[in-house]
Amino acid sequence: MKRSLIKLISLLVISTVFLTGCSSDVLVTIRPQSRSVPVSVSWWGNDPRHEYMIEGLRLFENNNPSIRIEYSYAVWNGYENRYQMLMRSRNNADVMQINYAWLSKYSDDGTGYYDLSLLSDVIDFDNFTDADIDTGMRNGVLNALPTAYNTSCFFYNGDIYSSYGLEAPSTWDDLFVAADRMREDGMYPLGMIYKHVFLVLNAWFEQNYEARLFDDDGNYIGNEDDVYNMLEFLGELVNNQVLMPPSEFEVSYFGAGLIAGVSCWASDSQRYCNELVENDIPVIVGDFLSSDNDNGSGWYIKPATMFAISSNCENPNEAGEVLNYLLNSPEFIMLQGTERGIPVSITALETLTNSGELTGVEYESGQIIRNNMDSMVLINPMLENSDVQDAFKTYADMYLYGEVPLEDAAAMLNEAFEAIG
């Protein structure tokens, strides 16, 4: 009798243990399997996102005892490679945070993810406009719903720019003027990761050449001259110390005041700007850069992140309840705040508005998106395609560090783009 009681107590303890996989940053919740339906959730992000996601999912479980949540998470670096393997082996989570570009990459015909339109009984679609819903459509199938909208934004350290008698740049020429003033002090007007370098160069290219690298079907329609011009302009930015060499850039440099400006996703504004804000240093949300005679074309919006359900999900109704909670629940939205950007969901937006949460650089960058929704178009997924991004980084670095001349780098990059698109 005593031994049986000890055994029962041990099983109850094991059933509520949280196991942490140190090498993969994955946390899995184990619950008694007889009492509830399992739904797995996966996402990427930084520590603040992990914390509120875990807290929110625990609250969901408390309020929905018939559903058991299992979850896994990691940082962004290397995430898509692991995700790709899980998709191919059909071992991906039931509810997934996904990138907008993945719709075309993993579900070109609409079958890569579950059709959310079948879950109208559990997902409140009234919180989304037709335009919002269209972002998740593939081949007539609703694959995903957006959390927020995103675009490349420019943030500038107001103290640094004013110390040189400069206003925040609005044109490409303004950047070179700023570099002329800052160069002696080793200060760069701008820095950014390679993904945003490519998006910035693409905007410059579209403005100056009235052409595109990829058509709407994802076909590469550029040529060697196009990528030559883009790489040449990148060289001008780096050699004139307008832009910190991308391979030397660190996210922390902007908050530490080591560079005067940064380009990043609007949804990443907290990550880049919080240190300056906490130290009462003014952060200026800049204009979209343009040529003197240009209206700012070449800049795009996209869903910041999206939530989708696996096409092989065994419990789609329960997964739909979890997805609806992550997008529309006031309880969860108060935990998330604006970490993913200004939310798309009408209920979520009203929740943050009424609570006074919409302030600071996150709100300002979100307003830029809202004010330009009618004039900006959705980003071509190929601009974010990981193969395109990797090829650009490889040959841009080879050129910038003198491993190959500009002509050879352009030829190799053009050939790589042709093979991809």
Side-chain angles (χ1 to χ4, degrees):
M1 176 86 173
K2 185 176 180 182
R3 183 174 298 174
S4 298
L5 182 59
I6 293 173
K7 201 170 187 181
L8 176 60
I9 292 172
S10 298
L11 286 172
L12 289 173
V13 170
I14 292 172
S15 71
T16 57
V17 168
F18 292 95
L19 300 179
T20 303
C22 299
S23 61
S24 59
D25 292 329
V26 172
L27 189 63
V28 177
T29 306
I30 298 177
R31 302 286 188 195
Q33 304 231 348
S34 60
R35 63 180 276 274
S36 52
V37 174
V39 173
S40 55
V41 183
S42 65
W43 70 89
W44 73 85
N46 51 18
D47 287 342
R49 179 174 295 178
H50 304 329
E51 290 167 6
Y52 74 70
M53 284 289 292
I54 292 169
E55 182 178 354
L57 291 171
R58 286 174 178 168
L59 288 173
F60 177 87
E61 274 191 322
N62 291 338
N63 295 326
N64 299 271
S66 64
I67 297 176
R68 180 178 78 255
I69 301 294
E70 302 167 351
Y71 46 84
S72 60
Y73 60 84
V75 297
W76 169 250
N77 290 340
Y79 187 90
E80 187 179 355
N81 289 334
R82 294 192 292 273
Y83 178 84
Q84 190 173 43
M85 289 187 290
L86 291 171
M87 284 288 287
R88 287 175 175 172
S89 62
R90 299 176 67 81
N91 287 317
N92 44 292
D94 297 318
V95 179
M96 300 171 279
Q97 173 185 309
I98 68 168
N99 197 325
Y100 171 65
W102 295 356
L103 292 178
S104 60
K105 186 170 183 178
Y106 301 110
S107 186
D108 190 52
D109 62 356
T111 64
Y113 301 103
Y114 189 85
D115 186 356
L116 299 184
S117 67
L118 301 176
L119 301 175
S120 58
D121 289 344
V122 293
I123 298 176
D124 186 358
F125 290 110
D126 289 339
N127 274 305
F128 302 90
T129 67
D130 290 343
D132 298 331
I133 290 173
D134 283 346
T135 65
M137 299 292 291
R138 296 300 298 179
N139 195 32
V141 180
L142 181 56
N143 278 183
L145 286 169
T147 59
Y149 287 110
N150 223 348
T151 190
S152 294
C153 281
F154 292 89
F155 301 95
Y156 301 99
N157 185 315
D159 280 356
I160 292 178
Y161 267 85
S162 63
S163 71
Y164 288 97
L166 294 166
E167 295 183 355
S170 60
T171 69
W172 305 105
D173 288 342
D174 289 343
L175 282 176
F176 285 87
V177 171
D180 287 341
R181 300 270 185 93
M182 300 178 183
R183 191 175 297 118
E184 283 188 9
D185 301 319
M187 177 63 65
Y188 289 93
L190 264 182
M192 64 194 80
I193 63 173
Y194 249 120
K195 170 174 278 193
H196 289 282
V197 171
F198 182 62
L199 296 177
V200 165
L201 290 178
N202 182 73
W204 171 86
F205 168 72
E206 290 193 18
Q207 290 173 19
N208 285 275
Y209 292 91
E210 298 183 353
R212 295 193 300 163
L213 292 181
F214 298 92
D215 66 18
D216 292 338
D217 294 323
N219 301 308
Y220 177 59
I221 55 175
N223 56 49
E224 191 171 325
D225 287 341
D226 294 334
V227 293
Y228 178 98
N229 291 328
M230 291 176 69
L231 289 175
E232 183 179 46
F233 185 60
L234 173 60
E236 291 176 12
L237 291 172
V238 171
N239 294 334
N240 286 283
Q241 296 184 32
V242 174
L243 177 72
M244 172 175 277
S247 293
E248 298 175 20
F249 172 78
E250 298 286 345
V251 170
S252 61
Y253 286 178
F254 183 58
L258 300 177
I259 55 175
V262 71
S263 177
C264 65
W265 294 124
S267 61
D268 281 338
S269 56
Q270 269 189 320
R271 181 183 177 203
Y272 281 85
C273 301
N274 262 11
E275 188 172 351
L276 296 181
V277 172
E278 289 172 357
N279 289 298
D280 296 322
I281 297 172
V283 176
I284 302 170
V285 183
D287 297 328
F288 295 112
L289 293 173
S290 65
S291 301
D292 290 330
N293 60 348
D294 187 81
N295 61 4
S297 62
W299 301 106
Y300 296 93
I301 60 169
K302 68 159 193 168
T305 56
M306 309 186 83
F307 278 112
I309 291 177
S310 169
S311 61
N312 54 298
C313 176
E314 294 183 359
N315 303 294
N317 283 330
E318 288 78 7
E321 290 184 49
V322 176
L323 184 146
N324 185 67
Y325 170 79
L326 294 173
L327 290 172
N328 296 320
S329 166
E331 181 180 57
F332 179 75
I333 294 303
M334 285 303 297
L335 293 174
Q336 177 179 272
T338 57
E339 192 275 330
R340 277 192 169 94
I342 306 300
V344 170
S345 162
I346 294 171
T347 296
L349 184 61
E350 289 176 349
T351 298
L352 294 184
T353 300
N354 295 336
S355 66
E357 291 290 314
L358 297 182
T359 60
V361 292
E362 302 96 335
Y363 177 68
E364 290 182 52
S365 55
Q367 284 299 99
I368 286 178
I369 296 173
R370 294 174 68 84
N371 293 339
N372 288 277
M373 284 287 288
D374 293 337
S375 59
M376 297 174 73
V377 297
L378 284 173
I379 192 171
N380 188 314
M382 290 303 292
L383 296 178
E384 282 199 281
N385 180 282
S386 58
D387 294 330
V388 169
Q389 288 277 341
D390 289 345
F392 172 71
K393 181 183 184 303
T394 296
Y395 297 114
D397 265 348
M398 290 175 67
Y399 161 56
L400 290 178
Y401 288 98
E403 296 178 26
V404 296
L406 174 57
E407 293 81 2
D408 291 352
M412 290 186 287
L413 181 56
N414 180 67
E415 185 177 340
F417 282 175
E418 286 179 337
I420 296 167

